[in-house]
Amino acid sequence: MLPQAYDFLASTSVIPVMVIEREADAIPMAEALVAGGIKVLEITLRTPCALAAIKAISKAVPDAHVGAGTVCNSDDFSAAIDAGARFIVSPGQSDSLFDKSITSKTPLLPGAVTATEVMRAAEAGFKVLKFFPASTSGGAAAIKAFSGPFASVSFVPTGGIGPKNLLEYLELPNVQAAGGSWMLPKSKVQAGDWQAVTQLCREASELSNMKELTQ
Ligand code: 3PG
């Protein structure tokens, strides 16, 4: 059972990692993802229009559950909440991010890929952790190994995940969801080919349903 603040994760197996270069793409991109069955959206603070995109999507796409990713300091954390982010994802962890999450009651998924990082985050009360970059940090085998010593912690791996290896991760009981950008290929986004994005999301949703059939 997830702590209350992480309940939104129970409704998804896949989280798109969105890098929005043009503000005008924000709403159609979010609509395309939602149309493909993917409603929990992580918008990375990697581009100048990221906060505006969070604001716009939160307002215009009510079915989306919008969060901010690539949050590396407490100022960005505050700005993301002000823009409407309902959860925060960080590639790493710091005391100030932990404090901000606890005082604002906004769920944070801090990054952890080593036993020490997992212990530090869990000790601070964070039980759902981003595992990034997954493919170069031991992949699914490393997450599986963490299930022994860290039975109460689960992971959202990102980095190098796609249709070919998604199920390897989702089949692990300590993987809550998997994130990535494979459903948003640059060429399709640049061309505004939102139907292609929706189709890739449908395929990802179908794959994640296969995980439910195997469990
Ligand atoms: C992330 O920020 O979580 C990753 O960069 C996403 O990785 P991907 O582009 O390999 O899916």
Side-chain angles (χ1 to χ4, degrees):
M1 181 68 183
L2 291 170
Q4 188 60 31
Y6 294 114
D7 275 1
F8 70 94
L9 286 173
S11 66
T12 195
S13 295
V14 170
I15 301 177
V17 175
M18 300 161 68
V19 181
I20 303 179
E21 304 280 357
R22 298 178 297 207
E23 195 178 332
D25 286 342
I27 292 171
M29 189 187 291
E31 285 173 342
L33 294 162
V34 169
I38 294 183
K39 297 182 179 173
V40 175
L41 312 181
E42 176 188 332
I43 297 166
T44 60
L45 302 193
R46 294 181 202 173
T47 57
C49 70
L51 291 170
I54 292 173
K55 215 176 206 167
I57 295 169
S58 302
K59 205 168 159 199
V61 191
D63 285 343
H65 190 95
V66 182
T70 321
V71 175
C72 298
N73 57 60
S74 55
D75 287 347
D76 284 348
F77 197 125
S78 300
I81 299 175
D82 290 348
R86 294 159 74 186
F87 65 95
I88 301 291
V89 184
S90 178
Q93 51 182 270
S94 71
D95 289 339
S96 64
L97 288 178
F98 290 168
D99 290 347
K100 199 84 204 169
S101 172
I102 290 160
T103 53
S104 70
K105 297 193 170 58
T106 303
L108 165 69
L109 276 65
V113 292
T114 66
T116 303
E117 290 163 358
V118 173
M119 285 164 60
R120 188 176 180 273
E123 196 171 36
F126 297 89
K127 300 289 169 66
V128 184
L129 310 178
K130 177 175 165 110
F131 186 85
F132 167 82
S135 59
T136 55
S137 304
I143 298 175
K144 189 176 183 184
F146 279 158
S147 68
F150 308 122
S152 62
V153 173
S154 58
F155 295 89
V156 177
T158 73
I161 299 178
K164 290 203 174 107
N165 59 0
L166 176 63
L167 272 183
E168 276 173 38
Y169 289 95
L170 293 184
E171 278 168 0
L172 298 175
N174 61 341
V175 166
Q176 196 61 51
S181 61
W182 76 90
M183 67 297 278
L184 292 163
K186 261 196 176 149
S187 59
K188 304 289 180 201
V189 169
Q190 271 164 4
D193 186 351
W194 305 121
Q195 281 184 353
V197 169
T198 296
Q199 183 53 30
L200 287 165
C201 292
R202 287 206 180 108
E203 286 163 19
S205 301
E206 273 164 31
L207 265 177
S208 48
N209 289 341
M210 282 170 65
K211 161 217 153 182
E212 273 140 40
L213 293 177
T214 59
Q215 283 180 346

